[in-house]
Amino acid sequence: MKLLFGGILLLLVFAVTGISKYHQRKSRLMQLPANNPQAFIEKGSRQEGKKLVAVIGGDIVHGTISYNFVDDAARRRSCKDYQFINAGVNGSTAYDVLQRLEDVIACQPDFVVVLVGLNDAAVKIAPEFARNNTKLAEQGEKPSLLVYEKNLSLIVSRLKVETSSKIGLMSLPVAGENLFSKENVELDQYNEGIKKIAAMHHVSYLPFNEKLKAYLKGKNQTRGRSLKNSWKLYKKSVIEHLVFGHSLDRISFANGYLLLTDGIHLNSTAGMIAAHQLELFLKQNEHNGFANGTKGSYTS
C-alpha cells in the first residue's frame, strides 16, 4: 500500500514539475528578443563605431520556434562592424509590422531588412494557422495579396521618408518542400509582389526563396514533404523545442524536412541561408554605396 501511495505521489510530482516546465518554456514563445527595438531605445545601447541593422518581420525573424538568423548574422566575422536589432514578433502580418514601425524608426538604423508575409499568405496556404492567429482576426481588412502588397509598400514608403536607411526586402521561404504544390505556387505570387515593390521603390530585393529552391533542386528533392498537417506539426514542434529542449534540426529530421521544421519555420540549414542573404545585403550596399532612391537589387 505504501509502495502504491509512493508511486502515485511520485507521478504527481512529475506531473506538477512537467506542467510548470511546460508553461515556463511555452511563455518563451512570445518573449521579445533581447535586442528588440524597445529595449534598444530604453537602454540607449548603440555601440560606438558600429552601423545599426534592423530586421523586421514575424515568426521567421523572431527566432524562437524558427532558427534565429539575425543572431547568426551578428556572429559572423564579416558583420563585426554592425549592431543588430531584432524587430520580429511571432504571428505578425505586414499590417502588424506597419503598426509598430514607429519603434524601428526611432532607432534610426543604417540598414533595414523586411521579411514578412507568411502570416498574410496563411489564409490561403495554411488555413489552420490563420484560424489560430489572433493577429489576423484583429486586422481591419480581410487578408489578401493586394492588402499585403499595399501594407508592404506603406512600410517601405515610411522607412524611406522617416529614415536614411538602406532597405532590403527578403523573399518569403518555401511553404513545405514540394515546390510544385499549390501552396508554393500561391507563395510565388507573394514573392513576385515583393520583387515588384522592391523595384517600384528602388530598394534591394534579397532572393531567399530562390536560394532555398536552388538548395532543394541541388539535392534532387523538389517534390519533398508538403505543407499537409503543418498546424499539428507546429504544435508538436513547439512542445518538443520549448518544453523538451529538442533542437530544431532534430525536429526537422523527424518530420521529414531538409530545410523546415513543420513546413513553415526554418531549421539551421535554411536559417544560415537567410543569414547569408543578410550578410550579402550589407556587404553589397557598403561596397556599392546604395542609398534610398537608388536601385540595389541583387541575385547572388
Side-chain angles (χ1 to χ4, degrees), residues 19-242:
I19 291 168
S20 173
K21 189 177 181 182
Y22 170 79
H23 286 293
Q24 183 183 27
R25 293 204 176 185
K26 197 168 187 296
S27 68
R28 288 170 46 198
L29 192 62
M30 292 311 295
Q31 284 179 357
L32 293 177
N35 54 337
N36 70 79
Q38 289 180 333
F40 175 84
I41 294 165
E42 289 168 6
K43 295 175 183 176
S45 53
R46 184 152 191 161
Q47 297 171 14
E48 188 176 350
K50 291 194 174 185
K51 294 188 177 179
L52 192 62
V53 183
V55 187
I56 314 173
D59 311 40
I60 306 299
V61 175
H62 191 149
T64 51
I65 192 61
S66 189
Y67 183 83
N68 194 324
F69 77 89
V70 180
D71 282 357
D72 183 309
R75 291 190 295 266
R76 298 189 176 207
R77 184 176 297 179
S78 65
C79 294
K80 63 183 176 61
D81 294 327
Y82 300 93
Q83 180 181 356
F84 291 81
I85 291 173
N86 187 323
V89 177
N90 287 332
S92 291
T93 62
Y95 173 83
D96 298 314
V97 167
L98 186 60
Q99 304 315 301
R100 64 172 192 267
L101 205 56
E102 204 68 45
D103 284 343
V104 173
I105 291 169
C107 297
Q108 285 298 298
D110 300 290
F111 300 88
V112 176
V113 170
V114 182
L115 171 53
V116 69
L118 277 178
N119 288 304
D120 297 80
V123 174
K124 287 193 172 182
I125 69 168
E128 281 190 279
F129 271 94
R131 284 194 295 271
N132 286 278
N133 188 344
T134 55
K135 286 184 170 63
L136 272 174
E138 294 164 1
Q139 187 168 314
E141 293 180 282
K142 185 179 179 181
S144 69
L145 177 57
L146 288 176
V147 170
Y148 168 71
E149 289 181 351
K150 181 192 76 172
N151 287 325
L152 184 61
S153 186
L154 287 170
I155 290 167
V156 178
S157 295
R158 283 201 63 189
L159 289 170
K160 290 188 73 173
V161 170
E162 299 179 54
T163 75
S164 57
S165 307
K166 296 169 185 177
I167 301 164
L169 303 183
M170 190 178 288
S171 59
L172 306 176
V174 292
E177 295 179 0
N178 181 349
L179 302 187
F180 303 95
S181 68
K182 62 179 183 180
E183 291 86 4
N184 274 308
V185 171
E186 184 71 36
L187 208 57
D188 285 344
Q189 295 182 45
Y190 280 77
N191 284 322
E192 284 302 314
I194 294 171
K195 191 180 293 184
K196 177 179 68 178
I197 289 164
M200 181 173 69
H201 288 283
H202 305 292
V203 299
S204 295
Y205 173 79
L206 286 62
F208 177 41
N209 177 278
E210 292 84 341
K211 295 302 173 185
L212 295 182
K213 286 180 177 177
Y215 179 90
L216 291 173
K217 287 174 184 175
K219 297 287 184 180
N220 293 316
Q221 292 292 328
T222 57
R223 293 185 182 273
R225 179 165 184 170
S226 71
L227 203 59
K228 189 178 179 181
N229 296 325
S230 59
W231 176 247
K232 181 180 177 181
L233 288 180
Y234 165 73
K235 291 190 293 181
K236 180 171 169 279
S237 298
V238 167
I239 293 169
E240 289 180 351
H241 184 54
L242 298 182

Side-chain angles (χ1 to χ4, degrees), residues 1-12:
M1 188 70 178
K2 286 183 179 179
L3 188 62
L4 179 61
F5 179 76
I8 292 171
L9 186 61
L10 190 61
L11 284 173
L12 285 172

Side-chain angles (χ1 to χ4, degrees), residues 250-265:
R250 174 177 171 174
I251 295 167
S252 174
F253 179 79
N255 288 339
Y257 288 111
L258 294 180
L259 296 170
L260 309 170
T261 57
D262 50 20
I264 294 284
H265 301 96

